[in-house]
Each structure stands twice: as C-alpha cells, then as structure tokens.
Amino acid sequence: MTDNDLYGPGVMKYIKKAEKFLVQKEKHIARMKKLKFDTIAVHGLYTVEEALAQNQGAVIEPLYLSTSQAYRDSDEMEAALAYLIPTWCYTRIANPTTYYLEWVLALLEGYQTGHDTSCLVTASGMSAIMSAIDPFLVKQKEGAEKINFVSSVQLYGGAFQLFSVRKMQERGIQVRWVEHQEDIEEWKAKIDENTRFLYSEAPSNPQQSFCDVKALVELAHSWEIPFIIDSTCATPALMRPIAYGADIVIHSLTKSITSGGLAIGGALISRKPIATKIRNENPLFKQSFAEYVKFLPYRDTGPAASPPNALFALNDLRTLRSKMDVVSANSEKVAEFLNQHPKIYQVDYLGLDSFPLHTLAKKYMKLVDSDDGKGNEINRYGHLLSFRVNGPPQNARKVFDNLNLIFRATDLGRIKSVATIPAISTHQQQGEEAREKADIPPQLIRLCVGAENPDDIIADLDQALGSL
Ligand SMILES: *Cc1c(COP(=O)(O)O)cnc(C)c1O
C-alpha cells in the first residue's frame, strides 16, 4: 500500500510541501557544515532569510513560549500528528526555540568528525542520561534476563545514584563498575552477551579520570553495543568523541555550555547510525537515536526542556570556544600555583604534566580550530580541577570557609570561580565506601576556575591557605 492509499489528497499536499522545505533545510545544513566551529556556534540554522520572512527581522532567534501549535486544517493536523511533516505540535514534544539549540549542538558535536548527528535537548543533564540509557534496558527475550551495563565508577554524583539505586537496587539491572577507566583490560573483563552498552564520564567530575575513547569505541563495537560518554566537562570545544566513533554523547548544558548560570538543561547527541543489537521496530532507533528518543520515549515520559532555558543555553553557547580557551588557560595557571603550595598534598588537573592521566588526556583534549604555529591544535583541559589540603578534614573546611572571591557552591562550569567540598555536598549521598572507591576524600576541594583574571583567583586561594 502506498502513502496515496493511506492518506487523502489534502494530507499528501502537505507532505509534498514539506518535502520541498526538507530539501532546502538539508542544503542549508550542508552549507553550515562547511563553516568553522565559531560560525556554527554563533549562527546555528537561523538565517537572515528566516529572520526577515518569519520574525520581523529579529537578529536573535525568537523565544516561543506557546505550549502548542495551531494547524491550518484537519489535513495538516493529520499529517503533523503522524510525524509526516516537520511540526513542533506541543512543547513537551518539540519547540521552535529548543529546535535551534538542538541543531547547534548536533552540528558542533559532529564538527569535522565525518559523521552525521542528531540531538535531543532535555530538561536537565540527568534527564539526558536517563533518556540515553533507558531504551537499551529493555527485555529482548521471554523469561528472566540478566541485563547489565558496564560503567566507569567515577561519575557525577547524580549519575552514580541513578545507576546504583534506580537501576541496580530498584530495577535489578546489573551495573558493572570499572574502577580504572583508563585500563581497557578492565572493561574487556566485564562485558558479556547481556551487556547493553558501555558508559563513561570523561573527564570525570571531580576526579578528572579519563578513558581511551578510541579503544572503548572499538571494544563496544566489537560486541555490537553503543559507547555512551558524558563529556560535559570537555564540551565540544575541547573534545568531540564522535570523531572516534562514539555512539552517544551526553552533556549537562547546565555547566560550561551555559556558563552564565541561568538555566538547567541537558543534551543527548547521537551518531548516525549507532551500534546496537537491540531489536526495535522503528528504524530511527538505530539510524537516528536522538530523534527516536524525541519522537517516542521522551514524548511519553515528559522530560521536556523549557524554551527560555534553551534560549539561555543557545546564547551562551555562541562563544563557547573562546570561553573554554580562557578558562582552561586560567585553570592551568591556578593548578600550577596550587601544585607547588606546601599546604597541599595533591592537585588533580588533566593539564598538569605530573597528573597520571595527562598523556592520555593530551591525545584527546584540544581546542577546536586552534593552531600552535606548527599546524597542531593547542591542548586545553577545561576548568575543573581539585586539590587536597594537608592534615585532617577540618583543614580543608577552614581553607574553604576563608575563600572571599571564590563562591562556595555545588556549581561548576561557571564564568565565575566556584568551589565545593564534594564529600559533604555533591557526593554526600553515596556513602563513605563508594567515595573511597571513587577516590573522593574529605580533604578534597573541587575548584572550577572562571574567567576572572587568574592572578586574583590565585591571591584568594593564597590568603585562604594562609589561614592554616
Ligand atoms: C552536573 C552534571 C550532570 C547532571 O546535570 P544536571 O544538568 O545537573 O542534571 C551530569 N554529568 C556531569 C558530568 C555533570 O557535571
């Protein structure tokens, strides 16, 4: 049966019209892909023509607060709700403002990777993680099935809770922890035929652990399963895992991407197609996973992004590359200061030569479109670091309490420098044993360096350490 038999001539007219629009859109995407990272970040898919034809010439993308979209007639409505024409319909399903953000992220994460990508923006980083993993944790056989997945143990506190409590304790899904995620042999030893995916967070928050992305992609693909990576701390300005074949990339948009700190958000970006053995009748599952999630599970579970938050993220994202350059350079300077301080026994920063995973990170963490003068990209390591204060935990608290300029908050990725003690904040809930496993002692202060002049940050740290 053809579409002509299924749908009346009115519906077909809308489908034909949409085909023309989609051809134009594909051409425009192809043009954008030829431009540089910064240009894509600044413009996305919003054009002068669109501004003039549909938006009174406004230079900035419009904010659509309407919950729902109206249709011309019943034919257009039928075509839209059957997903036969581009439509946004209802803000839980899609929204025009969020759409602009989704496309910028898809293009930036896919930038010069040689792969096509699609993106789904969600209400938070946590809902992006949930949306990414749940579709793989489904029954495939009759009877009891021992589903598992393999994950680095070094994770954002919320992700650790999601995996260990919501998935393992409450749902009986086995999570197999990898303690040294840089060690490919440990991953190999934990996979079997019931493993649904490999999951890593790199660089991890707060330990700065890292993985060999390329080796993990090859390992996952040899089992026909996807490699999912949370690269919130890197952002696409410093690393694009899809270049090495990663299947799904997660971001908490709340962090460095929206460094201005005015919005919560998350994103799931998938490579087209992903590796998976999961049988799903919808071809999008494999071909364009982010779109599959958007059209189906996301629609049914409801973790929709708020359009104003999407606009905040979009607006901050435009200068991502230059911001990540500045905050990374500042962090390097601050890390070097801390590293020689007599009251500190350990500094973890991927950019320090002395850091055990420095060489591995150096392979992957590079400022996009940069040049060191010899044709190589410049290494940049982001703005997350941590340091451990000599003596009992009270000493770390004293230093922390004496910070003046640096904010005490469980925040990160900001344009302003922010510090926290993870053992009593972000990683409090997971308990001492899990913290020990993840190497988060109470002496550890996490610092995320902002875009202030680094000398002022160093002076603040110096006087706080002087209180001991
Ligand atoms: C903050 C964070 C998350 C969760 O993001 P929210 O937007 O707070 O839900 C996930 N992963 C990493 C690495 C994070 O830092």
Side-chain angles (χ1 to χ4, degrees):
M1 203 155 65
T2 65
D3 283 354
N4 281 309
D5 302 321
L6 270 172
Y7 300 103
V11 172
M12 291 309 295
K13 187 187 79 192
Y14 281 111
I15 294 174
K16 284 269 168 313
K17 207 170 115 191
E19 278 166 6
K20 256 190 230 155
F21 166 82
L22 288 172
V23 167
Q24 287 308 317
K25 182 179 157 189
E26 284 308 317
K27 278 189 190 156
H28 182 51
I29 291 169
R31 275 197 301 275
M32 288 311 293
K33 278 189 173 166
K34 295 201 179 95
L35 303 179
K36 293 289 187 194
F37 189 92
D38 283 339
T39 314
I40 296 168
V42 169
H43 286 270
L45 290 191
Y46 188 61
T47 61
V48 176
E49 295 75 35
E50 184 180 343
L52 292 169
Q54 294 172 33
N55 193 26
Q56 316 229 13
V59 172
I60 301 301
E61 295 84 341
L63 172 58
Y64 286 94
L65 288 172
S66 175
T67 49
S68 11
Q69 176 186 15
Y71 297 102
R72 287 171 183 82
D73 52 28
S74 58
D75 290 331
E76 190 182 31
M77 183 181 270
E78 186 181 358
L81 294 212
Y83 290 145
L84 297 169
I85 59 172
T87 183
W88 61 274
C89 188
Y90 185 59
T91 289
R92 174 159 48 74
I93 299 171
N95 173 277
T97 304
T98 308
Y99 165 92
Y100 293 118
L101 176 61
E102 287 176 336
W103 267 103
V104 176
L105 288 167
L107 291 172
L108 294 184
E109 205 56 61
Y111 182 68
Q112 292 186 355
T113 63
H115 294 287
D116 286 334
T117 47
S118 47
C119 171
L120 165 69
V121 163
T122 61
S124 67
M126 287 315 306
S127 55
I129 298 174
M130 179 198 73
S131 305
I133 67 171
D134 276 357
F136 299 104
L137 303 176
V138 292
K139 263 175 79 96
Q140 291 282 279
K141 290 184 227 146
E142 280 306 311
E145 206 178 352
K146 275 271 168 230
I147 299 173
N148 74 74
F149 64 90
V150 184
S151 168
S152 60
V153 75
Q154 296 92 356
L155 291 177
Y156 171 72
F160 184 84
Q161 291 295 113
L162 174 67
F163 292 1
S164 61
V165 180
R166 305 299 151 224
K167 299 303 169 199
M168 194 143 60
Q169 280 176 31
E170 293 181 356
R171 302 284 159 99
I173 289 158
Q174 197 181 31
V175 186
R176 298 181 176 173
W177 300 115
V178 168
E179 290 185 25
H180 298 278
Q181 63 159 324
E182 72 281 8
D183 178 9
I184 191 77
E185 297 306 321
E186 204 185 329
W187 292 89
K188 270 186 197 162
K190 291 187 170 150
I191 306 178
D192 65 24
E193 65 278 8
N194 292 320
T195 302
R196 293 298 168 79
F197 56 85
L198 306 185
Y199 188 98
S200 160
E201 180 179 313
S204 75
N205 165 14
Q207 311 88 342
Q208 306 276 292
S209 77
F210 209 84
C211 66
D212 190 340
V213 178
K214 194 159 177 276
L216 276 178
V217 166
E218 280 164 15
L219 178 61
H221 291 180
S222 74
W223 285 87
E224 219 187 322
I225 54 174
F227 174 56
I228 306 177
I229 178 167
D230 177 341
S231 72
T232 296
C233 294
T235 81
L238 302 185
M239 176 167 79
R240 288 167 308 291
I242 288 172
Y244 310 96
D247 298 277
I248 298 168
V249 178
I250 305 286
H251 287 292
S252 166
L253 299 178
T254 318
K255 310 296 165 56
S256 307
I257 287 182
T258 314
S259 61
L262 298 179
I264 297 272
L268 177 176
I269 298 115
S270 62
R271 181 172 64 87
K272 291 177 165 181
I274 58 162
T276 180
K277 291 186 289 202
I278 297 288
R279 291 181 307 276
N280 188 301
E281 59 195 28
N282 191 320
L284 280 178
F285 188 91
K286 188 170 174 63
Q287 295 308 325
S288 182
F289 182 74
E291 280 183 290
Y292 163 80
V293 175
K294 188 175 180 69
F295 291 153
L296 299 154
Y298 166 89
R299 177 196 67 186
D300 303 338
T301 51
S306 112
N309 282 358
L311 190 65
F312 280 128
L314 184 70
N315 217 35
D316 268 357
L317 186 53
R318 302 189 208 276
T319 49
L320 183 70
R321 198 190 79 95
S322 47
K323 263 186 309 215
M324 290 312 285
D325 187 21
V326 169
V327 294
S328 301
N330 289 354
S331 301
E332 238 162 89
K333 204 165 170 187
V334 170
E336 271 157 26
F337 161 79
L338 292 169
N339 207 25
Q340 51 70 47
H341 201 285
K343 288 178 183 154
I344 289 171
Y345 69 93
Q346 187 173 328
V347 179
D348 292 334
Y349 182 57
L350 286 172
L352 285 175
D353 288 346
S354 57
F355 189 69
L357 296 176
H358 174 71
T359 314
L360 181 60
K362 196 170 177 176
K363 232 172 98 179
Y364 291 105
M365 303 274 289
K366 294 167 187 175
L367 182 68
V368 64
D369 289 344
S370 64
D371 191 336
D372 66 356
K374 296 184 207 121
N376 304 311
E377 282 186 331
I378 298 166
N379 283 107
R380 285 287 188 239
Y381 300 93
H383 53 153
L384 179 64
L385 58 91
S386 69
F387 58 97
R388 303 170 193 215
V389 180
N390 289 342
Q394 296 91 293
N395 281 14
R397 287 176 91 126
K398 190 162 184 208
V399 171
F400 185 69
D401 291 342
N402 274 287
L403 295 169
N404 287 329
L405 185 66
I406 299 169
F407 278 83
R408 283 170 290 276
T410 60
D411 206 1
L412 125 101
R414 288 298 144 252
I415 199 84
K416 298 184 184 189
S417 294
V418 171
T420 188
I421 300 179
I424 56 162
S425 59
T426 50
H427 291 68
Q428 190 194 121
Q429 282 175 43
Q430 54 183 262
E432 200 163 326
E433 199 190 311
R435 279 197 299 273
E436 235 162 70
K437 229 184 196 179
D439 190 23
I440 305 172
Q443 284 89 351
L444 183 146
I445 296 178
R446 183 183 79 185
L447 174 66
C448 193
V449 180
E452 303 95 339
N453 187 302
D455 293 342
D456 293 330
I457 295 304
I458 288 171
D460 193 29
L461 289 163
D462 200 29
Q463 65 77 29
L465 285 157
S467 71
L468 288 183

